[in-house]
Every structure is written in structure tokens, then in C-alpha cells.
Amino acid sequence: MEGIDNVASIRDVAKKAKVAACTVSRVLNNSGYVAPETREKIEKVIKELNYIPNELARGMFRQKAGSIAMLIPNIVHPFFSTLASYIEKELYNRGYKLMLCSTDADINKERDYMETLKSNIVDGVISGVSNLQLKEYKNFNKPLVMLDYVVNSKIPVVASNHKLGGELAAKKFIDSGCKNVIHICDDKTTKVLSYQCHIALENMLKVHNIKSKAIEIKWNDFDFEGYLNLAKKVLIERPDTDGIFAADMPAAAFLKAAIKLGKQIPKDLCVVAYDGTYTTNSNILNITTVVQQVQLIANKSVENIISLIEKDNIIEPYTEIDVYLREGETSF
């Protein structure tokens, strides 16, 4: 079968139908006007040659891959897996496919992916990681949208209102009568914007004379068992702790550890999670949570990357999505 699944087969069809290759492309993509009799002739030749269009080959032919890559730190992290799911659905609805790349927070892996993605394999990139040097982003020749990271003024960013998130969590601890709050966070050198919620939390608790202690960890250092061991250690070593603020998974681990240690929730320990994924409602108690609106983040990210691909200059350089508090059974 001659010319199957490659760019030349389009030219084969064009040659036999005695039309231009771009006319065949319009028929294949159902884009642009083609006279009915010409369309019928092309479709007849396609059947005669038993031509099976190859999406990647057609993408290369028209300089468009029809796919967008998403870089995330870890595919099993509840927030990123949920976000990727929404982005995949939104892209598909807009005629694009998603290529998911998990870097495991490894800068070399991130660099390798970015180098690979410079080719025609994708039309653009949505990135939830940022460990490279500024010059490496400047040399990246594809449309790029960042999630929760500011690289420079030319690359659009989509992020939650993390300052509001920290303030909502702090207010909940204040209302619950907490005096000693521990918050589990990334180290202070991180560039991720979500760290702002921890700064806002500390500042507001300080104003109300409530003690707070940051325990800094690399967010991907532990799986659930690792978080559970950390929770047991913290709660035993700091028995006066009456408030815990952490991302969904470690918050769930602290809840489980506290119950095993005989603590009454929320009387002895108030737990507030941050993100709002399925893990907060998969426990003995539903966890009070500051919710990031993942679907809105996904929709805006997709809107921005497609606008960049289609060279639409009406793009907001920084989009901030509000968060909200979802009441649970782990606070007053």
C-alpha cells in the first residue's frame, strides 16, 4: 500500500486527484472551502489508495501537531492528577490531545523534556514545574503557560489566590480557638507561588498572638506512609499542637495519626487542608479545606495556551483564581 501514514501519501492523493496538496489537506481537516465535485473526487481517490490519515504526519505537514504537553512534578500527586484530568478534557473539547510529562521534581528530567518538546511533537506547553535557568526559558521556542510560577513578564501565569487561602485557614484556626499551629510546607527557597499561603497564615496568626511553626519538607519526599510517619513523630514530640495546616495528603495523614493517638477531632486537634482534592473527603471525617478551583485553573490555562498558539494577543499576563473554604468535620 503506497504512501500510507506519511506526508507523501497526501501528495499521492493530490497527484492522482489532480489537485493541490493543500486542497487535500482542507478535505482531511474539513477546513476551508472545497467545491463539492472536487471534494467528491478527492474522497474517491482516498478510498482507491486506501489512504489512512496519520494525525502526527498531517500535523507535521500543516506545521501543527494538535497536541499540548503538560509538565508536572509527580503524576500521583492528587492535585496534579486532578488538574491534568481537567486540562485533558478541556483540550480534547477544543480539538487538542494532551501529552503528560512527570518530572519527579528532577531538574535534569525537566530539561530533557523541554529539549524534546522544542520539536514539532507538540504545539505548546503548560508547565507546573520551574527549575530551569531564565535563559533556558528564553530559548524555548514554543508557546508556554506557567502554573504557579513566574518566569518573566512574557510568559503568562495562572495561579490561585494563595494569600487569601492562607488567611482563610488562619481565620479557621482562630475561630476554632487554636493556640499552637503547625503548618507543613516546602522550604523557603521554593519559587512556587503557593508558598504565599504559608506566609499569609503566619502573619495573620501572629497578629492574633497564636504560635505557629513551619515544618519544611520537600513536598514529594514522602508518599502517604511517609507522611503518616512524619505526623506520628510531630504529634508525639509536640503534644501541645492543636492545629495542623497542610496540603491534602499530609493533612489526611495527620488526621489518621491523631485519631490513632487517641486525640479527639476537632477538640484536641483542628485540621485544615489546602487544595480540595478527593483525598479530603476520603477519610473517617471530612477535612475542612481551602479549595483551589482546579477546573477554573484548567480552563484558563487551556484558554491561554491556545490563544498563544493561534497568536491571539489578548492574553492576561497573570490570572489569579479565587479560593474558598469548604467546611468539614475537623474544625469548629
Tab-separated table of all heavy atoms in Angstrom, residues 123-154:
chain	number	residue	atom	x	y	z
A	123	ASP	N	2.344	21.533	20.103
A	123	ASP	CA	2.157	22.932	19.702
A	123	ASP	C	2.470	23.915	20.823
A	123	ASP	O	2.703	25.095	20.565
A	123	ASP	CB	0.719	23.157	19.235
A	123	ASP	CG	0.383	22.314	18.015
A	123	ASP	OD1	1.173	22.308	17.064
A	123	ASP	OD2	-0.675	21.652	18.024
A	124	GLY	N	2.433	23.443	22.067
A	124	GLY	CA	2.681	24.316	23.207
A	124	GLY	C	2.805	23.509	24.482
A	124	GLY	O	2.601	22.288	24.485
A	125	VAL	N	3.151	24.207	25.572
A	125	VAL	CA	3.397	23.539	26.848
A	125	VAL	C	2.721	24.304	27.982
A	125	VAL	O	2.804	25.532	28.056
A	125	VAL	CB	4.914	23.427	27.136
A	125	VAL	CG1	5.163	22.854	28.529
A	125	VAL	CG2	5.604	22.572	26.081
A	126	ILE	N	2.060	23.558	28.860
A	126	ILE	CA	1.565	24.077	30.132
A	126	ILE	C	2.444	23.464	31.205
A	126	ILE	O	2.530	22.236	31.310
A	126	ILE	CB	0.092	23.691	30.367
A	126	ILE	CG1	-0.802	24.296	29.284
A	126	ILE	CG2	-0.368	24.148	31.748
A	126	ILE	CD1	-2.231	23.786	29.316
A	127	SER	N	3.125	24.289	31.999
A	127	SER	CA	4.108	23.751	32.934
A	127	SER	C	3.789	24.082	34.389
A	127	SER	O	3.580	25.234	34.746
A	127	SER	CB	5.512	24.284	32.609
A	127	SER	OG	6.472	23.725	33.490
A	128	GLY	N	3.768	23.036	35.205
A	128	GLY	CA	3.600	23.193	36.643
A	128	GLY	C	4.890	22.979	37.394
A	128	GLY	O	4.883	22.707	38.597
A	129	VAL	N	6.021	23.091	36.685
A	129	VAL	CA	7.353	22.995	37.304
A	129	VAL	C	8.216	24.125	36.770
A	129	VAL	O	8.002	24.611	35.658
A	129	VAL	CB	8.035	21.631	37.015
A	129	VAL	CG1	7.266	20.491	37.659
A	129	VAL	CG2	8.149	21.393	35.511
A	130	SER	N	9.203	24.550	37.554
A	130	SER	CA	10.065	25.654	37.114
A	130	SER	C	11.390	25.609	37.871
A	130	SER	O	11.572	26.296	38.866
A	130	SER	CB	9.377	27.003	37.348
A	130	SER	OG	10.226	28.068	36.979
A	131	ASN	N	12.309	24.791	37.364
A	131	ASN	CA	13.623	24.680	37.994
A	131	ASN	C	14.763	25.128	37.082
A	131	ASN	O	15.917	25.136	37.496
A	131	ASN	CB	13.874	23.222	38.416
A	131	ASN	CG	12.901	22.765	39.484
A	131	ASN	OD1	12.826	23.351	40.556
A	131	ASN	ND2	12.135	21.730	39.188
A	132	LEU	N	14.446	25.496	35.849
A	132	LEU	CA	15.468	25.838	34.877
A	132	LEU	C	15.926	27.288	35.028
A	132	LEU	O	15.291	28.088	35.690
A	132	LEU	CB	14.944	25.604	33.462
A	132	LEU	CG	14.418	24.195	33.155
A	132	LEU	CD1	13.967	24.116	31.703
A	132	LEU	CD2	15.462	23.142	33.461
A	133	GLN	N	17.023	27.602	34.372
A	133	GLN	CA	17.530	28.962	34.361
A	133	GLN	C	16.708	29.818	33.398
A	133	GLN	O	16.108	29.309	32.446
A	133	GLN	CB	19.005	28.982	33.924
A	133	GLN	CG	19.930	28.229	34.852
A	133	GLN	CD	19.997	28.862	36.235
A	133	GLN	OE1	20.076	30.088	36.365
A	133	GLN	NE2	19.977	28.025	37.259
A	134	LEU	N	16.687	31.123	33.648
A	134	LEU	CA	15.896	32.045	32.839
A	134	LEU	C	16.255	31.943	31.355
A	134	LEU	O	15.381	31.951	30.493
A	134	LEU	CB	16.100	33.481	33.330
A	134	LEU	CG	15.295	34.566	32.620
A	134	LEU	CD1	13.796	34.294	32.723
A	134	LEU	CD2	15.623	35.941	33.189
A	135	LYS	N	17.541	31.807	31.048
A	135	LYS	CA	17.971	31.744	29.647
A	135	LYS	C	17.418	30.511	28.937
A	135	LYS	O	17.196	30.523	27.723
A	135	LYS	CB	19.498	31.767	29.556
A	135	LYS	CG	20.197	30.578	30.174
A	135	LYS	CD	21.703	30.684	30.022
A	135	LYS	CE	22.405	29.475	30.645
A	135	LYS	NZ	23.875	29.560	30.501
A	136	GLU	N	17.180	29.433	29.705
A	136	GLU	CA	16.635	28.224	29.097
A	136	GLU	C	15.193	28.437	28.673
A	136	GLU	O	14.745	27.888	27.666
A	136	GLU	CB	16.751	27.052	30.068
A	136	GLU	CG	18.199	26.666	30.371
A	136	GLU	CD	18.304	25.527	31.369
A	136	GLU	OE1	18.372	25.820	32.588
A	136	GLU	OE2	18.340	24.363	30.945
A	137	TYR	N	14.447	29.236	29.436
A	137	TYR	CA	13.079	29.555	29.041
A	137	TYR	C	13.079	30.504	27.849
A	137	TYR	O	12.235	30.410	26.961
A	137	TYR	CB	12.318	30.181	30.209
A	137	TYR	CG	11.998	29.194	31.307
A	137	TYR	CD1	12.732	29.184	32.494
A	137	TYR	CD2	10.974	28.271	31.161
A	137	TYR	CE1	12.450	28.282	33.511
A	137	TYR	CE2	10.683	27.356	32.167
A	137	TYR	CZ	11.420	27.371	33.332
A	137	TYR	OH	11.146	26.471	34.319
A	138	LYS	N	14.041	31.428	27.812
A	138	LYS	CA	14.129	32.364	26.694
A	138	LYS	C	14.407	31.636	25.388
A	138	LYS	O	13.971	32.061	24.315
A	138	LYS	CB	15.229	33.404	26.967
A	138	LYS	CG	14.842	34.450	28.000
A	138	LYS	CD	15.966	35.469	28.182
A	138	LYS	CE	15.564	36.569	29.168
A	138	LYS	NZ	16.667	37.539	29.382
A	139	ASN	N	15.144	30.528	25.471
A	139	ASN	CA	15.498	29.763	24.277
A	139	ASN	C	14.438	28.745	23.885
A	139	ASN	O	14.574	28.064	22.877
A	139	ASN	CB	16.830	29.040	24.491
A	139	ASN	CG	17.997	30.004	24.617
A	139	ASN	OD1	17.961	31.096	24.062
A	139	ASN	ND2	19.028	29.624	25.353
A	140	PHE	N	13.389	28.637	24.690
A	140	PHE	CA	12.319	27.687	24.376
A	140	PHE	C	11.429	28.305	23.309
A	140	PHE	O	10.899	29.396	23.474
A	140	PHE	CB	11.506	27.369	25.636
A	140	PHE	CG	10.515	26.258	25.460
A	140	PHE	CD1	10.951	24.959	25.242
A	140	PHE	CD2	9.156	26.518	25.486
A	140	PHE	CE1	10.031	23.925	25.069
A	140	PHE	CE2	8.238	25.498	25.313
A	140	PHE	CZ	8.682	24.198	25.102
A	141	ASN	N	11.264	27.614	22.205
A	141	ASN	CA	10.622	28.215	21.027
A	141	ASN	C	9.164	27.826	20.847
A	141	ASN	O	8.634	27.862	19.745
A	141	ASN	CB	11.406	27.815	19.764
A	141	ASN	CG	11.452	26.297	19.587
A	141	ASN	OD1	11.032	25.557	20.469
A	141	ASN	ND2	11.974	25.841	18.470
A	142	LYS	N	8.508	27.466	21.935
A	142	LYS	CA	7.101	27.078	21.854
A	142	LYS	C	6.251	27.964	22.774
A	142	LYS	O	6.750	28.473	23.775
A	142	LYS	CB	6.923	25.619	22.305
A	142	LYS	CG	7.586	24.600	21.400
A	142	LYS	CD	6.729	24.356	20.171
A	142	LYS	CE	7.365	23.286	19.308
A	142	LYS	NZ	6.576	23.040	18.096
A	143	PRO	N	4.973	28.120	22.451
A	143	PRO	CA	4.077	28.803	23.397
A	143	PRO	C	4.105	28.100	24.747
A	143	PRO	O	4.094	26.870	24.817
A	143	PRO	CB	2.704	28.676	22.727
A	143	PRO	CG	3.011	28.564	21.269
A	143	PRO	CD	4.279	27.769	21.192
A	144	LEU	N	4.159	28.895	25.825
A	144	LEU	CA	4.325	28.339	27.168
A	144	LEU	C	3.440	29.091	28.160
A	144	LEU	O	3.395	30.318	28.154
A	144	LEU	CB	5.796	28.452	27.585
A	144	LEU	CG	6.199	27.998	28.982
A	144	LEU	CD1	5.951	26.510	29.176
A	144	LEU	CD2	7.678	28.320	29.235
A	145	VAL	N	2.737	28.337	28.998
A	145	VAL	CA	1.940	28.896	30.089
A	145	VAL	C	2.407	28.246	31.381
A	145	VAL	O	2.565	27.027	31.445
A	145	VAL	CB	0.430	28.628	29.890
A	145	VAL	CG1	-0.363	29.023	31.130
A	145	VAL	CG2	-0.088	29.386	28.671
A	146	MET	N	2.648	29.063	32.414
A	146	MET	CA	3.122	28.552	33.694
A	146	MET	C	1.978	28.451	34.699
A	146	MET	O	1.092	29.301	34.737
A	146	MET	CB	4.215	29.458	34.267
A	146	MET	CG	5.448	29.624	33.389
A	146	MET	SD	6.297	28.076	33.007
A	146	MET	CE	6.796	27.531	34.648
A	147	LEU	N	2.034	27.423	35.513
A	147	LEU	CA	1.089	27.240	36.610
A	147	LEU	C	1.823	27.464	37.924
A	147	LEU	O	2.736	26.702	38.267
A	147	LEU	CB	0.509	25.815	36.587
A	147	LEU	CG	-0.225	25.392	35.317
A	147	LEU	CD1	-0.570	23.913	35.380
A	147	LEU	CD2	-1.493	26.216	35.134
A	148	ASP	N	1.467	28.521	38.628
A	148	ASP	CA	2.011	28.780	39.969
A	148	ASP	C	3.489	29.188	39.986
A	148	ASP	O	4.120	29.140	41.042
A	148	ASP	CB	1.815	27.555	40.874
A	148	ASP	CG	0.827	27.831	41.992
A	148	ASP	OD1	0.175	28.883	41.956
A	148	ASP	OD2	0.727	27.021	42.918
A	149	TYR	N	4.020	29.579	38.849
A	149	TYR	CA	5.410	30.054	38.790
A	149	TYR	C	5.483	31.286	37.901
A	149	TYR	O	4.858	31.324	36.834
A	149	TYR	CB	6.346	28.996	38.199
A	149	TYR	CG	6.601	27.812	39.090
A	149	TYR	CD1	5.837	26.658	38.966
A	149	TYR	CD2	7.620	27.833	40.047
A	149	TYR	CE1	6.064	25.557	39.774
A	149	TYR	CE2	7.861	26.734	40.856
A	149	TYR	CZ	7.081	25.599	40.720
A	149	TYR	OH	7.316	24.518	41.523
A	150	VAL	N	6.263	32.282	38.321
A	150	VAL	CA	6.540	33.443	37.483
A	150	VAL	C	7.949	33.311	36.945
A	150	VAL	O	8.916	33.222	37.711
A	150	VAL	CB	6.409	34.764	38.277
A	150	VAL	CG1	6.820	35.942	37.409
A	150	VAL	CG2	4.979	34.949	38.784
A	151	VAL	N	8.069	33.235	35.627
A	151	VAL	CA	9.387	33.134	34.984
A	151	VAL	C	9.837	34.511	34.516
A	151	VAL	O	10.899	34.989	34.869
A	151	VAL	CB	9.347	32.149	33.797
A	151	VAL	CG1	10.680	32.167	33.044
A	151	VAL	CG2	9.042	30.738	34.289
A	152	ASN	N	9.014	35.150	33.692
A	152	ASN	CA	9.263	36.535	33.272
A	152	ASN	C	7.927	37.133	32.832
A	152	ASN	O	6.899	36.457	32.811
A	152	ASN	CB	10.318	36.609	32.153
A	152	ASN	CG	9.916	35.812	30.923
A	152	ASN	OD1	8.758	35.840	30.485
A	152	ASN	ND2	10.861	35.094	30.339
A	153	SER	N	7.953	38.402	32.471
A	153	SER	CA	6.708	39.112	32.159
A	153	SER	C	6.083	38.667	30.841
A	153	SER	O	4.927	38.998	30.556
A	153	SER	CB	6.978	40.619	32.101
A	153	SER	OG	7.960	40.910	31.114
A	154	LYS	N	6.826	37.903	30.037
A	154	LYS	CA	6.327	37.497	28.722
A	154	LYS	C	5.598	36.157	28.746
A	154	LYS	O	4.905	35.809	27.795
A	154	LYS	CB	7.483	37.434	27.723
A	154	LYS	CG	8.126	38.790	27.454
A	154	LYS	CD	9.240	38.679	26.436
A	154	LYS	CE	9.856	40.047	26.157
A	154	LYS	NZ	10.971	39.966	25.174
